[in-house]
Amino acid sequence: MTHRPIFPFRRLFAAVPFFAAAAAWAWGVQTSPDRDSRWAFSYGAFLDVSGHVDETFRAYYKATGQHSKQALAESYDLDEFGIDPPYGTFGLHFARQWEFFSFRWDLDVFSISADAKARRNYYIGLGDDVKYGGRKYDHMQIPGGSDFSVDFNGALSDLAFSFTPVELRFSDSFAIIPSIDLGLAFFGGQWKIDAGPARGTTTYQNPPVDFVVGGSSSSFLGAGAPLVGFGAEFRLGQPDWVQWNTRAGVGAFRYDGSTRLFTGKGREKDLELECLSVEVDSRVLLPMTETTCLELGARVRWLSIDADIRSKERDTAAIIAARERFDKSASFDTLLGELYVGISF
């Protein structure tokens, strides 16, 4: 057996008291009055966008003894819909620092357009009706091998309040500001799917549901979640002169309960939802006048969402009466990178 080298934890922990003793700390944050607020404009891109929805298990088939039909479960991946980043973004950003608290707001708008060929028959539930033969349908079939397009015009916005109790200053030109963060992230916009002219109907699922073949439909899609986390800002340079500031933060959210909180009325399901956000923001502040500074910076953010939606019914008779659909597992990940220029004052 070979022995791996042991990490020198004793040396690391022995250095902690020395590192802490080297820092002079003070309550609150010392910020020059010409840089406690800022506005910035950014241009960037979603460098990665990935996601999938998997149908996992249908309690109705188990309750009725149709176990072989569990194999009818479908899976959808964003790659199948022609999603191929990068996609450009334009952003507006604001921040304000007080002695013990700070506020940040970020807004990024974007447009995604993709063309694809259906790899198989896609059966899609719609947020808005599509018309055919004088009737309205809320389900669409895209036949395998046919062309279709997807467009999404939306925005990603988040705001955060931070508690900044102390500032750790190691020299006149280097300080660390830890924070406890509470925020809200929102993603939403208008999407449209176009599968050509509506050209017939078909039935699918058990019990049967009418699907219009082809057609186009658009509707609003949106979701939001609170985030709780922590961060730290590293400031290099004199407080009233040229500075290089870098902030890193992590936020998370977990929910285990009913879908009613998010969807309101409708068929209630059990939902497990996890959201994780990691962000790094680095900028240089260059004094221009006695009251303003030019800011040049870059920001990277990774956002990950995982969800499991399951039948709420447990009684066999209730499951059969409700004709429960498939349980679903979904995930969504995106990586945003941007450059910005702004003014602090």
Side-chain angles (χ1 to χ4, degrees), residues 4 28 39 51 84 106 165 175 195-196 207 239 247 264 288 344:
R4 296 180 180 179
W39 282 99
D84 186 20
D106 299 288
R247 187 184 188 282
M288 295 190 302
S344 61

Side-chain angles (χ1 to χ4, degrees), residues 263-300:
T263 60
K265 296 181 180 179
R267 182 171 292 182
E268 191 174 355
K269 302 281 188 177
D270 285 334
L271 171 66
E272 286 188 17
L273 178 67
E274 293 182 352
C275 181
L276 178 64
S277 174
V278 179
E279 179 181 349
V280 177
D281 186 328
S282 185
R283 66 190 189 276
V284 176
L285 289 81
L286 305 171
M288 295 190 302
T289 69
E290 293 183 356
T291 58
T292 60
C293 297
L294 175 68
E295 291 196 359
L296 302 174
R299 176 174 175 254
V300 177

Side-chain angles (χ1 to χ4, degrees), residues 99-173:
E99 185 178 5
F100 290 100
F101 297 93
S102 66
F103 171 76
R104 300 185 309 279
W105 172 69
D106 299 288
L107 172 67
D108 290 280
V109 296
F110 58 91
S111 179
I112 294 175
S113 183
D115 298 298
K117 185 182 293 290
R119 301 179 187 178
R120 61 186 189 280
N121 290 339
Y122 294 150
Y123 297 90
I124 303 172
L126 304 174
D128 195 12
D129 297 330
V130 58
K131 296 180 180 180
Y132 176 75
R135 282 188 56 190
K136 293 182 179 180
Y137 297 82
D138 57 5
H139 290 77
M140 176 193 293
Q141 184 212 49
I142 303 177
S146 63
D147 296 325
F148 67 98
S149 65
V150 177
D151 295 284
F152 186 82
N153 297 305
L156 174 65
S157 180
D158 57 275
L159 54 88
F161 291 91
S162 298
F163 175 50
T164 53
V166 297
E167 177 179 314
L168 304 175
R169 181 161 291 279
F170 296 88
S171 69
D172 291 339
S173 58

Side-chain angles (χ1 to χ4, degrees), residues 59-60 62-65 313-323:
Y60 175 75
K62 179 181 179 181
T64 56
E313 301 293 347
R314 298 293 182 266
D315 179 73
T316 299
I319 291 172
I320 296 174
R323 300 294 185 96

Side-chain angles (χ1 to χ4, degrees), residues 225-237:
L227 294 171
V228 179
F230 59 89
E233 181 170 315
F234 303 84
R235 294 183 177 180
L236 185 62

